[in-house]
Amino acid sequence: MSHISLPLATYLPNVSALAYGCMGLGGGWDAKPVSRANIAQANDCVNTALESGINFFDHADIYTLGKAEQVFGEVLAQRPELRKRIYIQSKCGIRFSDDQGPKRYDLSADWIRESVEGSLRRLNTDYLDVLMLHRPDPLMQAEEIARVFDELRSAGKVHYFGVSNMHHHQIAYLQQALDAPLVANQIEASLLKQDWIDEGVYAGNSDGQDINFNAGTLEYCRREHMQLQSWGSLAQGLYSGRAVSDKSEAVIRTSVLVAKLAAAYNVSPEAIVLAWLIRHPANIQPVIGSTDCGRIAGASQAGNITLSREHWYALYESAKGMELP
């Protein structure tokens, strides 16, 4: 896959235009131990990603209850030379219900510190290239977060920091306390989840009053040269071959259009779905989470094409299911 110039490349040279999301590695979200088959799957996915030009791997401490990081760490233990070829990002801040309380978000210094230590241990690495705060914690205090970030950076355990699922007011609140820039914001964005686009399209239009996306976040990240990453980028394969019995008319129509464009551009359907995101001038870095090596390889073709303006709008309108205002 060709390397598209990303804001993140300022900090991570030659970072790939796509990120491989590791949420599906490690088996299920259960207490079953990691198996040899899980490790073999992780090896296959990492190999396919690297062969496809993807060198950025996205984790979170909670993915398959820690097993995603664990199997990835087994891959690195078997092949330690890979660490110098890749970038690793992980996230912290979501805590599931336990004997101490209900499901909650925790961006306290103690939990951030504990989470990073756990991720480093499971991943078999001395450092994270990027640490993200997974979701905004209503009880977060910027100065406390700044202190633990300084501690982790000074110790060489985290090189850069970012956020996930935050709007620009929350990002600005954190940034004013930090000495170093927040380098990325990961949001849900896809042909299916269009709020990040709709918010701007429906500016000043009452038809957009219920859009659940904060005005100005996209522009803030672009202005501050923050990398926008998209999770759920492939919409779980909804437009690229996933068998679903109750697809809406809009999904069926858009799937047909995706297939038509895939043939026209001579790429996979996954590449068309991702090319729609990449075509946006914010230079979005899509995160792909498939464990199907064929789909990973197919997705990597997205960087080889540029959708025309007309094709971009055709996909947008088709997935929306209505004409633009």
Side-chain angles (χ1 to χ4, degrees):
M1 178 178 182
S2 61
H3 287 281
I4 296 171
S5 179
L6 298 179
L8 196 57
T10 301
Y11 309 99
L12 307 179
N14 298 313
V15 66
S16 54
L18 297 183
Y20 180 70
C22 299
M23 186 173 68
L25 301 181
W29 292 66
D30 52 41
K32 293 180 181 178
V34 166
S35 68
R36 290 183 180 179
N38 297 148
I39 298 171
Q41 179 191 55
N43 265 302
D44 289 342
C45 290
V46 169
N47 285 339
T48 302
L50 291 172
E51 290 166 1
S52 302
I54 300 171
N55 62 7
F56 189 92
F57 294 86
D58 175 73
H59 285 271
D61 56 357
I62 62 167
Y63 288 167
T64 53
L65 306 183
K67 292 187 292 183
E69 289 184 331
Q70 185 182 346
V71 293
F72 200 92
E74 292 291 339
V75 172
L76 290 182
Q78 294 173 9
R79 303 155 64 192
E81 71 280 0
L82 289 182
R83 186 62 184 96
K84 294 182 180 180
R85 296 176 53 194
I86 65 175
Y87 295 113
I88 298 177
Q89 169 177 283
S90 197
K91 311 179 200 73
C92 69
I94 297 178
R95 300 181 67 174
F96 294 126
S97 59
D98 53 26
D99 56 7
Q100 299 178 50
K103 180 181 179 181
R104 57 207 182 274
Y105 303 144
D106 190 343
L107 297 182
S108 65
D110 286 345
W111 186 250
I112 291 173
R113 188 182 298 111
E114 183 176 337
S115 297
V116 169
E117 294 294 346
S119 289
L120 294 178
R121 182 177 63 254
R122 289 187 293 272
L123 287 165
N124 257 315
T125 187
D126 297 327
Y127 67 95
L128 297 175
D129 294 286
V130 181
L131 173 70
M132 280 189 161
L133 304 180
H134 207 156
R135 285 194 178 273
D137 172 12
L139 303 181
M140 67 183 179
Q141 299 186 54
E143 291 72 19
E144 179 183 8
I145 291 172
R147 286 193 293 272
V148 73
F149 277 9
D150 285 341
E151 172 191 320
L152 292 168
R153 185 172 57 248
S154 297
K157 295 179 179 180
V158 180
H159 291 174
Y160 299 101
F161 299 90
V163 297
S164 180
N165 303 300
M166 289 197 187
H167 62 57
H168 70 98
H169 297 296
Q170 294 164 323
I171 299 169
Y173 164 68
L174 289 173
Q175 187 63 76
Q176 55 83 30
L178 302 175
D179 293 331
L182 292 165
V183 302
N185 182 23
Q186 189 176 121
I187 62 172
E188 184 176 15
S190 68
L191 267 175
L192 182 67
K193 298 293 185 178
Q194 302 175 338
D195 286 358
W196 61 286
I197 290 289
D198 289 345
E199 186 279 322
V201 168
Y202 285 87
N205 188 322
S206 60
D207 290 343
Q209 62 185 331
D210 295 325
I211 293 170
N212 183 28
F213 195 81
N214 188 267
T217 297
L218 201 65
E219 291 76 14
Y220 174 89
C221 292
R222 293 180 67 184
R223 188 187 74 209
E224 297 300 317
H225 305 290
M226 270 184 96
Q227 180 65 59
L228 273 165
Q229 298 174 347
S230 58
W231 63 268
S233 310
L234 288 170
Q236 291 77 50
L238 201 59
Y239 304 108
S240 53
R242 174 185 166 201
V244 179
S245 59
D246 57 347
K247 287 184 178 181
S248 68
E249 288 186 13
V251 169
I252 294 170
R253 181 176 57 251
T254 306
S255 299
V256 171
L257 178 57
V258 166
K260 179 180 177 181
L261 292 176
Y265 284 90
N266 194 29
V267 294
S268 70
E270 290 83 5
I272 295 296
V273 174
L274 296 178
W276 185 79
L277 289 167
I278 293 172
R279 178 66 169 80
H280 192 278
N283 288 328
I284 293 167
Q285 183 186 36
V287 179
I288 57 170
S290 178
T291 55
D292 183 314
C293 290
R295 289 185 181 273
I296 297 169
S300 72
Q301 298 170 352
N304 300 331
I305 64 171
T306 300
L307 291 179
S308 70
R309 177 179 291 268
E310 291 71 26
H311 288 158
W312 189 90
Y313 271 100
L315 286 165
Y316 179 36
E317 183 179 276
S318 177
K320 180 181 293 299
M322 66 181 72
E323 189 178 61
L324 296 181

